[in-house]
Amino acid sequence: MTETAVELETVEPVESAQSGQPAPVSDEQLVAMLVERARSEGLQLTGQGGLLQQLTKRVLESALEGEITDHLGYEKHDPAGKNNGNSRNGTRAKTVLTDVGPVEVKVPRDTAGSFEPQIVKKRQRRLTGVDEMVLSLSAKGLTHGEISAHLAEVYGAEVSKQTVSTITDKVMEGMAEWQNRPLDRVYPVLFVDAINVKIRDGQVANRPVYVVMAVTVDGTRDILGIWAGDGGEGAKYWLHVFTELKNRGLDDVLMLVCDGLKGLPEAVETVWPRTIVQTCVVHLLRNSFRYAARQDWDKVAKALKPVYTAPSEDAATERFLEFQEVWGRKYPAIVKLWSDAWAEFVPFLSFDVEIRKVICSTNAIESVNARIRKAVRARGHFPNEAAALKCIYMALMSLDPTGKGRKRWTMHWKAPLNAFQIAFEGRLTPSNN
């Protein structure tokens, strides 16, 4: 510690004027006294050797002293401990990394060597808050090198990239349990999508990572799993994913929203014969803009809106023919795109507006994809499949940390729930879920 270190034990309570006994000091008063003493002696509140580090040291050492007292059964310097077969045997210095930086603590020992400290366990070099900090930074897309540099700059702590990797590897057990957890028997809607991630397998190449997000019977959104594909035909791999979901207990899906991948409806029908496959309108619009000049995007979007907001399939067909007359000559690829996807585009037009809102509102899956892309973009490429899945898993686990999103989703769910229950003839009956 620095020469200006505050001796915390010298901060004593003020005597009572009436009794001459020390007056009780509140926590707030004690903190104020410590801060004032630190300032008067030029000690910083934070940073190396600062007040927070010293307070952390004192709390940890007090807790350790309490632990060994419980272990031995007598207080320090208590004659009751004499010749009882085990006693204190000094201390050993140990530096642990905490939220406020590295702190050196004196860990007590006993002559029998049977004392097992809990707050700072043997061979433990980091408190749990540091691990949580590393996992949080990693979930936000920082590389191991960036996390190591951040801890060194902010906390003055030397944490190697290998240590960061060791910390993040701890999530793999939780990921395996999460990936294989049992599922509900039925979900109103599944959103499925795939994101390309660069993985080095001999050479760096794009590999698809498949993501499935469900709308639950309670109206919440739940990521059911992530899978790294082999780069082969997507529809065949989706069949593998759907089969795994069914084996985890998912027997029925009312509607499945996808990006229009060829062969996907057949894969869905193989696993869930009664599921309606719906092409994602947002994907259709986004793909349409690929074929249109930038200056026409607003006009094309305005012309397509009457198609996907039509009250019925017949009305949508009429609006699409009108779009084709105006834009078909200039952008025939857009017309072909919608024509090819028409069979999977029109199903939701026959449903109540409340169901349409759920199907067309892809904000949830888009926010998931955005978080994944942000996390993987910072890494450039991954050395292997496991590293890619670990990064994506941590990004997903950091979604909606406050729970506000979950609460917002359920606020207006009763109307869609009723619409699904009526339209799908009771397949969402809670007693069967």
Side-chain angles (χ1 to χ4, degrees), residues 185-226:
R185 189 193 67 78
V186 58
Y187 290 104
V189 183
L190 290 189
F191 291 96
V192 301
D193 204 359
I195 296 176
N196 285 323
V197 177
K198 296 184 184 299
I199 297 177
R200 180 181 293 279
D201 186 8
Q203 60 181 5
V204 178
N206 281 329
R207 293 267 301 279
V209 173
Y210 299 89
V211 183
V212 177
M213 187 186 77
V215 178
T216 72
V217 175
D218 297 323
T220 60
R221 272 58 170 173
D222 186 18
I223 306 296
L224 303 188
I226 52 177

Side-chain angles (χ1 to χ4, degrees), residues 140-276:
K140 289 177 171 57
L142 272 69
T143 65
H144 293 171
E146 290 171 337
I147 294 173
S148 179
H150 172 80
L151 294 175
E153 178 181 355
V154 177
Y155 300 101
E158 296 296 330
V159 180
S160 68
K161 292 190 289 185
Q162 181 58 45
T163 300
V164 174
S165 180
T166 300
I167 294 173
T168 57
D169 282 344
K170 292 180 180 179
V171 307
M172 296 303 288
E173 290 185 8
M175 174 180 167
E177 182 179 349
W178 171 80
Q179 184 75 18
N180 294 288
R181 72 194 189 280
L183 302 177
D184 292 347
R185 189 193 67 78
V186 58
Y187 290 104
V189 183
L190 290 189
F191 291 96
V192 301
D193 204 359
I195 296 176
N196 285 323
V197 177
K198 296 184 184 299
I199 297 177
R200 180 181 293 279
D201 186 8
Q203 60 181 5
V204 178
N206 281 329
R207 293 267 301 279
V209 173
Y210 299 89
V211 183
V212 177
M213 187 186 77
V215 178
T216 72
V217 175
D218 297 323
T220 60
R221 272 58 170 173
D222 186 18
I223 306 296
L224 303 188
I226 52 177
W227 297 262
D230 55 11
E233 186 177 348
K236 288 184 178 180
Y237 197 86
W238 275 122
L239 177 59
H240 160 75
V241 170
F242 299 151
T243 302
E244 180 178 319
L245 294 176
K246 186 170 185 177
N247 291 338
R248 288 166 57 191
L250 177 49
D251 291 332
D252 192 12
V253 176
L254 304 190
M255 301 188 73
L256 184 141
V257 183
C258 61
D259 61 358
L261 176 66
K262 186 177 180 181
L264 185 57
E266 289 76 13
V268 175
E269 186 177 5
T270 301
V271 181
W272 300 300
R274 296 192 293 172
T275 299
I276 294 176

Side-chain angles (χ1 to χ4, degrees), residues 89-128:
N89 188 29
T91 61
R92 59 182 177 86
K94 177 178 182 177
T95 300
V96 293
L97 182 59
T98 72
D99 293 353
V100 295
V103 173
E104 184 180 279
V105 295
K106 294 179 180 179
V107 181
R109 299 182 296 183
D110 62 338
T111 54
S114 58
F115 175 52
E116 294 284 346
Q118 296 302 310
I119 192 169
V120 182
K121 296 181 180 179
K122 289 182 178 180
R123 295 176 293 279
Q124 181 181 358
R125 294 296 179 182
R126 302 179 308 274
L127 296 189
T128 55

